[in-house]
Amino acid sequence: MKDNAWNRLGAYLNETQILGSIQNTLYWDQNTIMPREGATWRADQLTYLAKILHERTSSNVLSDLINSAETELKGIDGIDESQFNSKMKNIDLLKKELDRQSRIDPLLVEHLARAKSRGYESWQQAKENSDYKIFLPFFKELIKLRIEEAKQISNKLSPWETLAQPYEPDISKEWLFKIFNPIKEAIPLMLKNAKQFKKNNWDLDNNSQKYLSEKLLDVFGRNKNLVAVAESPHPFSITLGPKDFRVTTRIVKGEPFSSFLATAHEWGHSVYEQGLPSQSHQWFAWPLGQATSMAIHESQSLFWENRIVKSRAFSESFFKFFIEKGCPLKNHEELWKSMNTFKAGLNRVEADELSYGLHILIRTELEIKLIEGNLDPADLPHEWNNMYEKLLGIKPPNDRLGCLQDVHWSEGAFGYFPSYLLGHLISAQITSKLEEDLGLIDNLIANQSYKLIIDWLKKNVHSYGRSLNSMELVKDLTNAELSPNYFISYLEKKIRLLN
């Protein structure tokens, strides 16, 4: 490799990414097969890695490498304009992240890493025992540390907005609620108008559910040499290397679609990661080779879960596999309706597309209150239950089914939740453009044209990496600003079909 400033910067970033992938591997192991007694040592490992990674991403060495690469780049005569622009975008993104990391006290980074590990372990125990008090002291510590982190990073944004930036760059509370308020107004009325179907009480054994999830991935075109599947308390997708993609799911007793739909959801995340830019100067360590935001990420997972798997056409094509494993439903129409029961429930992950948005609105409003000082963490269960009763008309009977159901806050991931609902809106708007280009999605599914769909998504969404932020990408692709109207129209149409 030629020894120039650009390649020296690339080598440094590559080493940093190797450390980051080791951190991700330990995280994946912690969530899948690590024995419970390994938690203390794992916390030490992750704390040490967080310390080293912060040193590398905030160092004067990195700053000098970035400046040298920029000077060299600007001094090259006759460089292709598109190559120059993409490299300068990489430089700009690196500078922005360097500035953010440089503002954080290294000691705070260590405290946060340890608090995340302890928070996750205490959350697991609290959830198993349905006892929020077990989690509360660790949660308080996480909130305190995250608020301090926000203060160190920025005095221009509110603390919550600062913490949300890594998930959704350029987000503001004002913009967010402008987008969300029409959803908050429309969903309760649509829930009332949705016909209530009697839920069939049936289940499938664990092996049958695993088989159906594996078959789903095979139908979608999963490469087993690239993608591995495991079980975890909370489903997630993670990338451990340029050719190492992990997906996890979970089996919930009495919920025969839970693992199936979670697998479809996490597959969407993984497909996005697999489709990110692969140019040598971008992948795997450069910013442009990374996902642009969690809202775009969620739009891809929700697309596969809801627009594909919950469609009538998919139920028709996949019904034979459910019958093979003992599903008692009579036909594909019953399967489709069973996967699309619109009814307010307590659990976000198991929620239907219609009520899902209210789950996100509740979490978004609560975490803003937690971070910006208006809500004492000790009062969270009470406030959570009140909001569920107000917006969804149901009240959690215990902490496990209430405020302990999600893993996010146990890891200090404040600012993530809005990405789910933004993902729904983006998915609806992108799907409209996909159908304009390729034809009705039901026809594509009926023909099992999944490769065609993936290729379109890769070309029009995945391949941009971080060259565009989420709102720029949506406008560039659909020629319109992000709007809740596409999602609302989609839900209204689906209710009419189901009714």
Side-chain angles (χ1 to χ4, degrees):
M1 182 188 291
K2 187 176 179 182
D3 183 28
N4 57 28
W6 186 261
N7 287 335
R8 286 194 295 274
L9 173 59
Y12 186 93
L13 294 175
N14 188 62
E15 284 189 15
T16 303
Q17 192 73 338
I18 288 171
L19 283 168
S21 66
I22 293 170
Q23 185 182 50
N24 283 349
T25 303
L26 290 173
Y27 175 84
W28 176 85
D29 174 78
Q30 181 184 34
N31 281 271
T32 53
I33 59 174
M34 186 191 83
R36 182 67 62 85
E37 292 298 318
T40 300
W41 184 249
R42 182 53 46 87
D44 290 342
Q45 291 172 312
L46 291 172
T47 299
Y48 177 75
L49 281 170
K51 174 186 172 184
I52 299 301
L53 280 165
H54 180 256
E55 287 174 358
R56 290 186 66 85
T57 56
S58 61
S59 70
N60 290 332
V61 173
L62 176 58
S63 179
D64 291 343
L65 286 168
I66 293 171
N67 291 333
S68 296
E70 182 178 17
T71 300
E72 177 185 85
L73 183 61
K74 290 178 176 178
I76 299 174
D77 293 327
I79 186 172
D80 177 76
E81 185 179 358
S82 64
Q83 186 181 25
F84 176 82
N85 289 338
S86 68
K87 287 191 170 186
M88 280 305 300
K89 182 67 174 180
N90 267 319
I91 293 291
D92 290 343
L93 290 168
L94 285 168
K95 282 182 170 181
K96 189 173 182 179
E97 184 59 22
L98 175 65
D99 178 67
R100 182 181 177 92
Q101 293 298 327
S102 299
R103 294 172 182 269
I104 307 172
D105 182 350
L107 195 59
L108 176 62
V109 172
E110 292 184 51
H111 290 326
L112 262 171
R114 195 171 298 280
K116 288 179 190 177
S117 286
R118 289 173 175 169
Y120 176 74
E121 292 304 319
S122 67
W123 166 77
Q124 279 192 304
Q125 186 182 352
K127 188 176 181 181
E128 285 175 10
N129 292 277
S130 193
D131 187 356
Y132 177 72
K133 290 177 183 176
I134 294 172
F135 177 53
L136 180 58
F138 301 94
F139 190 38
K140 283 183 175 179
E141 180 68 7
L142 269 169
I143 292 171
K144 184 182 79 172
L145 293 172
R146 277 301 199 196
I147 291 171
E148 177 57 31
E149 180 187 29
K151 288 178 180 176
Q152 290 183 13
I153 292 170
S154 175
N155 57 9
K156 296 178 181 177
L157 301 173
S158 79
W160 181 87
E161 288 172 334
T162 300
L163 296 177
Q165 294 305 307
Y167 307 118
E168 195 58 37
D170 308 316
I171 195 172
S172 70
K173 290 185 293 183
E174 181 183 2
W175 174 84
L176 185 68
F177 287 113
K178 183 180 178 182
I179 289 285
F180 279 2
N181 280 339
I183 302 291
K184 190 175 182 178
E185 292 172 6
I187 289 177
L189 181 60
M190 283 193 279
L191 268 173
K192 287 181 181 178
N193 292 334
K195 187 176 179 181
Q196 297 297 311
F197 294 98
K198 184 180 178 182
K199 184 178 180 181
N200 291 305
N201 292 318
W202 61 281
D203 207 356
L204 295 172
D205 61 68
N206 288 9
N207 287 335
S208 295
Q209 292 196 44
K210 289 177 184 177
Y211 169 83
L212 289 170
S213 293
E214 287 288 327
K215 178 61 71 173
L216 175 73
L217 294 175
D218 290 341
V219 167
F220 285 162
R222 178 262 308 256
N223 182 345
K224 290 184 178 180
N225 293 321
L226 289 177
V227 183
V229 183
E231 290 184 52
S232 64
H234 195 99
F236 68 97
S237 173
I238 196 166
T239 300
L240 305 186
K243 295 184 178 181
D244 187 350
F245 304 93
R246 308 294 175 96
V247 167
T248 78
T249 186
R250 69 177 179 190
I251 293 173
V252 179
K253 188 173 178 61
E255 297 288 348
F257 300 124
S258 180
S259 178
F260 190 68
L261 293 172
T263 300
H265 183 97
E266 301 307 333
W267 162 256
H269 282 304
S270 188
V271 169
Y272 180 30
E273 292 280 321
Q274 293 170 52
L276 288 167
S278 58
Q279 291 94 326
S280 60
H281 73 285
Q282 293 177 333
W283 186 258
F284 177 63
W286 293 85
L288 286 189
Q290 298 163 3
T292 190
S293 81
M294 288 316 302
I296 293 293
H297 235 305
E298 292 299 339
S299 78
Q300 300 308 286
S301 58
L302 291 163
F303 171 84
W304 287 93
E305 178 188 359
N306 294 317
R307 304 312 286 260
I308 300 292
V309 173
K310 287 187 177 180
S311 70
R312 180 184 254 153
F314 184 85
S315 286
E316 186 171 2
S317 67
F318 208 85
F319 181 62
K320 58 189 176 186
F321 299 117
F322 273 91
I323 290 297
E324 183 185 323
K325 289 301 170 182
C327 167
L329 300 176
K330 295 175 183 177
N331 51 53
H332 72 266
E333 196 78 3
E334 284 193 4
L335 178 63
W336 175 58
K337 288 184 177 181
S338 293
M339 282 199 285
N340 287 281
T341 302
F342 289 155
K343 185 179 180 181
L346 294 170
N347 191 281
R348 175 188 66 83
V349 175
E350 315 298 341
D352 59 75
E353 295 168 273
L354 184 53
S355 61
Y356 188 91
L358 297 179
H359 290 267
I360 299 306
L361 288 167
I362 288 169
R363 285 155 177 77
T364 300
E365 290 181 21
L366 285 175
E367 70 176 13
I368 290 173
K369 291 178 182 177
L370 283 165
I371 293 299
E372 303 199 343
N374 301 319
L375 176 60
D376 186 326
D379 296 330
L380 177 63
H382 176 74
E383 192 66 20
W384 178 288
N385 293 350
N386 281 347
M387 290 192 73
Y388 262 78
E389 199 163 23
K390 179 182 177 183
L391 287 179
L392 287 158
I394 48 178
K395 187 174 182 179
N398 55 52
D399 294 338
R400 181 175 59 83
L401 295 174
C403 63
L404 289 175
Q405 65 181 264
D406 293 301
V407 70
H408 305 64
W409 290 342
S410 77
E411 298 173 340
F414 301 105
Y416 189 113
F417 278 120
S419 301
Y420 289 111
L421 186 48
L422 288 172
H424 268 299
L425 306 189
I426 294 169
S427 175
Q429 197 156 327
I430 286 176
T431 301
S432 177
K433 177 59 177 173
L434 181 147
E435 290 192 314
E436 186 180 313
D437 290 355
L438 301 181
L440 292 176
I441 200 160
D442 274 1
N443 293 339
L444 295 170
I445 294 166
N447 295 324
Q448 297 203 11
S449 301
Y450 298 119
K451 186 180 185 303
L452 182 64
I453 291 171
I454 290 172
D455 288 345
W456 187 92
L457 290 170
K458 183 174 182 178
K459 177 185 175 183
N460 292 285
V461 181
H462 307 166
S463 63
Y464 285 96
R466 288 179 68 188
S467 62
L468 299 172
N469 70 25
S470 58
M471 295 307 107
E472 291 168 341
L473 177 57
V474 169
K475 187 172 183 180
D476 186 72
L477 176 57
T478 68
N479 201 32
E481 301 283 353
L482 180 65
S483 167
N485 295 336
Y486 293 87
F487 183 52
I488 291 171
S489 296
Y490 159 71
L491 289 174
E492 289 173 339
K493 180 182 177 182
K494 195 162 195 177
I495 289 170
R496 287 196 300 272
L497 289 172
L498 286 164
N499 285 350

